[in-house]
Each structure stands twice: as C-alpha cells, then as structure tokens.
Amino acid sequence: MSETTTISPIDLTDAAAAEVKRLMSEQNLPEGTGLRVGVKGGGCSGLSYALNFENKEREGDRQFTIKDIKVFIDPKSLLYLADITVDFTSGLNGSGFVFNNPHATSTCGCGSSFSA
C-alpha cells in the first residue's frame, strides 16, 4: 500500500497537468487511474524519465496529488526525481513532456535522458 503525502517532491506545470488530464480523458481511463513518474536505466545519458498511466499502486509507492492528479513514484525513482518540474511544450519542432531536473549533472539533446 502506498503512502500518500501532501508535499510532493516534483511539480507539474499548468501545461503538463492540462495535457495529462486531456490524455486521461481521451483514453477514457478507469476511475482511480494516476500518473506514474519514474526513472529507468538507459538513454544516451544513462538514465531516462518514464511516464505512464496506472490504476493500481505498487508496493512501496509514494502517492501524491498534484493539481488534482494522482501521482505514483516508486522509492528508487524518488531519489532521482526530487525537485524536478515536468512541463509540456508544443511547437514547430513537435510536442512533448519536458523534465527540468536541477540535480542532473548532464542531459542529452532529447531532454528525456540524464545523469546524476
């Protein structure tokens, strides 16, 4: 069972929250579905960010509510995600989620890979 906390280690910009809500509505996801934010090995800088929708928490998850969105983060990812801001941008070069991590020692050009 997850631990629900009111102070989140991450932030979603208004644009990111709006896009998450739009995607959840578009995909007609079941009640209780949340956003999983994580880190996995790989990518050109060593670690990659991961976002997906889940309707079940995993053992050990920390659960937060950010801008009315349920957010799940596993304990290992939590170490790398402290103080990040997730944004959503759209423009001529495409659209997507952007991670601003003040603790990353290097990032790649795609913006979804980093090292810490």
Side-chain angles (χ1 to χ4, degrees), residues 15-99:
E19 181 64 9
V20 168
K21 289 175 183 177
R22 185 191 72 76
L23 290 169
M24 290 175 87
S25 175
E26 183 180 274
Q27 295 180 25
N28 198 25
L29 298 171
E31 183 72 29
T33 297
L35 178 68
R36 177 166 297 281
V37 181
V39 173
K40 59 183 180 177
C44 44
S45 291
L47 297 168
S48 296
Y49 299 105
L51 292 175
N52 54 29
F53 295 120
E54 288 192 9
N55 58 4
K56 289 184 185 177
E57 60 191 47
R58 297 178 190 166
E59 188 171 334
D61 276 350
R62 297 283 305 272
Q63 181 180 315
F64 306 92
T65 301
I66 306 168
K67 297 187 175 149
D68 297 324
I69 299 168
K70 186 187 302 185
V71 176
F72 301 112
I73 303 175
D74 67 88
K76 190 181 256 186
S77 293
L78 196 59
L79 298 171
Y80 296 102
L81 296 175
D83 303 323
I84 72 160
T85 299
V86 181
D87 194 8
F88 182 80
T89 61
S90 61
L92 294 175
N93 291 330
S95 62
F97 290 95
V98 177
F99 299 83

